[in-house]
Amino acid sequence: MAVLIDKCILLVCCFSLIPMDRVSLSSVSALLLAVTLSALNSYWENRVFRIAGIAAYCLFGMFFPPFCLFLPLVCYDLFAPRFHWTMLMELLPLAAAIQALPLPRLFTLLLFSGISLLLRLRTSALLDTRERYRVLRDDTKEFSLQLERKNRDLMEKQDYEIKLATLGERNRIAREIHDNVGHLLSSSILQVGALMAINRAPAVEQGLTTVKQTLSTAMDSIRSSVHNLHEESVDLFGQLTALKQQFQFCPIVLDYQVEGPMNSNLKYCFLSIVKEALSNVIKHSDATLVTIAVREHPALFQLIVQDNGAPGGLHRSGRQGIGLRNMEDRVTAFHGNLHLDDQEGFRIFVSIPKEDLL
């Protein structure tokens, strides 16, 4: 738009140089050729075409003085922020027109040529500033997006570490209660039982029975709390993420979609199956990618481990191998289904019904 405004200004200036009382065919031809050439240079930014076209116009100007009147418009596309020898091309027709043009008109033409040069330099600087601003804006936006992504990753990592620390602390508390308080309560129950065996007095026996029942209730409550704490301390997603990071054979894509609670024994079952599957990938597969998917459905839990190795992995890994039989035993213990497929790589499909976990 800035270039178009500059050329419109120069066109008006050049048009003012034409004597209205002596409009000739050469003047009209010069006007049409100058406008056409200027428009083509704006539309088709080809350096060779631009120099050749302006050189041809200047050549006409050396033999036909009316063509010199539109040199500021034509040579606008010749000027550049840095000096180039082609910028001197305009001087040739001006030198040839010294005798043909009146002196005032020649000076005005030189003035308009200077204005053309200044407009070109100003517009080039403006366009360069706009381009640098656009690049700076894009770089700033990209940096901002990268910073937001890094902050999000940092927050996710922080939340993950806090969750691991919380689960670790729960596990520690569960062990402490089980090893210390549980042991003391068990000893107390045995001691009360021993006292009941050697003291048969009705009053004492009734009191000891009450104490034993209280201790037994407390022991059951502690066992339940320890079991719940230990079950919550098993983080299946965290364990799978750690396996993903430690596995160096090939990349792993983890798809974890479990929102509700999961039985701790089932978590250990899934972990064992995944470890055995990754071990088989290293031993028997030429895979370049492993996909692990853990999903929760309304009626079942699902585990899928698949690699992109060559077909026939089931045959190579040994259908009766101990690892695969252990997988079947673990899944059978939960009344689930295990399906193996080696048509496209090697695929382990496990489904565990929820009703058998209650």
Side-chain angles (χ1 to χ4, degrees):
M1 180 60 71
V3 173
L4 179 61
I5 294 175
D6 290 347
K7 290 189 175 183
C8 289
I9 293 174
L10 293 174
L11 178 61
V12 172
C13 293
C14 295
F15 193 76
S16 66
L17 295 175
I18 301 177
M20 294 294 102
D21 57 340
R22 288 184 295 173
V23 177
S24 62
L25 181 61
S26 298
S27 301
V28 176
S29 300
L31 172 62
L32 294 178
L33 183 59
V35 172
T36 302
L37 184 60
S38 179
L40 288 176
N41 285 329
S42 298
Y43 177 76
W44 188 26
E45 297 183 358
N46 185 283
R47 185 172 180 271
V48 176
F49 173 79
R50 181 173 65 248
I51 294 177
I54 296 176
Y57 188 90
C58 291
L59 184 61
F60 276 108
M62 294 176 64
F63 297 98
F64 302 99
F67 281 80
C68 297
L69 302 179
F70 294 94
L71 282 175
L73 173 63
V74 174
C75 293
Y76 176 86
D77 296 306
L78 195 63
F79 298 138
R82 295 183 180 180
F83 179 80
H84 195 266
W85 65 268
T86 56
M87 296 173 60
L88 300 176
M89 197 182 301
E90 185 183 10
L91 299 178
L92 298 178
L94 290 177
I98 291 178
Q99 300 297 330
L101 294 177
L103 191 60
R105 190 174 300 172
L106 183 61
F107 282 134
T108 305
L109 183 59
L110 290 175
L111 176 62
F112 288 165
S113 298
I115 293 175
S116 175
L117 175 61
L118 293 177
L119 289 176
R120 179 63 176 179
L121 295 178
R122 178 193 66 86
T123 302
S124 297
L126 177 61
L127 295 178
D128 183 64
T129 302
R130 288 179 179 176
E131 179 64 19
R132 285 189 281 112
Y133 169 74
R134 185 187 63 80
V135 172
L136 180 61
R137 181 192 60 191
D138 293 343
D139 291 343
T140 304
K141 183 64 176 179
E142 182 179 1
F143 179 76
S144 176
L145 293 176
Q146 291 178 354
L147 185 60
E148 291 179 1
R149 183 167 59 253
K150 289 182 178 180
N151 287 337
R152 184 171 60 252
D153 294 341
L154 183 61
M155 293 298 296
E156 291 177 356
K157 183 178 180 181
Q158 183 180 11
D159 294 341
Y160 176 70
E161 291 178 351
I162 292 175
K163 184 178 180 180
L164 286 182
T166 302
L167 296 177
E169 185 64 16
R170 287 180 179 178
N171 200 13
R172 186 191 67 81
I173 293 173
R175 288 197 306 268
E176 292 291 333
I177 294 175
H178 179 271
D179 296 339
N180 296 324
V181 180
H183 176 70
L184 293 176
L185 287 176
S186 298
S187 299
S188 299
I189 292 173
L190 292 176
Q191 291 173 5
V192 171
L195 290 175
M196 292 176 62
I198 62 177
N199 291 281
R200 294 297 182 179
V204 176
E205 184 176 3
Q206 183 177 1
L208 292 176
T209 301
T210 303
V211 172
K212 184 178 181 180
Q213 292 176 349
T214 303
L215 292 174
S216 297
T217 303
M219 187 65 181
D220 293 339
S221 177
I222 287 178
R223 285 175 178 171
S224 177
S225 299
V226 168
H227 176 76
N228 292 334
L229 284 174
H230 180 68
E231 184 170 329
E232 292 177 0
S233 66
V234 180
D235 182 14
L236 179 58
F237 176 73
Q239 296 290 335
L240 292 177
T241 301
L243 286 177
K244 172 184 175 182
Q245 296 173 350
Q246 297 169 4
F247 193 69
Q248 302 296 325
F249 183 79
C250 66
I252 294 180
V253 176
L254 177 60
D255 179 16
Y256 190 87
Q257 301 180 22
V258 177
E259 299 295 337
M262 182 185 292
N263 185 283
S264 60
N265 293 329
L266 180 58
K267 294 179 182 179
Y268 285 121
C269 172
F270 280 1
L271 278 175
S272 300
I273 292 176
V274 171
K275 290 180 180 179
E276 182 63 29
L278 295 180
S279 177
N280 287 339
V281 168
I282 296 176
K283 295 177 182 178
H284 307 292
S285 176
D286 57 352
T288 59
L289 179 67
V290 176
T291 302
I292 301 175
V294 182
R295 300 189 180 99
E296 180 183 7
H297 298 282
L300 55 87
F301 290 103
Q302 187 181 79
L303 170 65
I304 302 174
V305 183
Q306 183 171 3
D307 63 60
N308 64 345
L314 180 62
H315 175 71
R316 293 196 308 271
S317 62
R319 181 63 180 82
Q320 300 301 324
I322 296 177
L324 296 179
R325 287 204 300 268
N326 287 339
M327 291 184 190
E328 291 180 349
D329 293 340
R330 293 178 184 276
V331 173
T332 302
F334 290 96
H335 305 286
N337 295 316
L338 172 66
H339 178 71
L340 305 177
D341 183 13
D342 64 346
Q343 297 301 314
E344 297 180 0
F346 189 70
R347 183 171 182 260
I348 301 173
F349 184 93
V350 177
S351 60
I352 306 295
K354 287 185 176 181
E355 59 182 1
D356 295 325
L357 299 176
L358 301 178

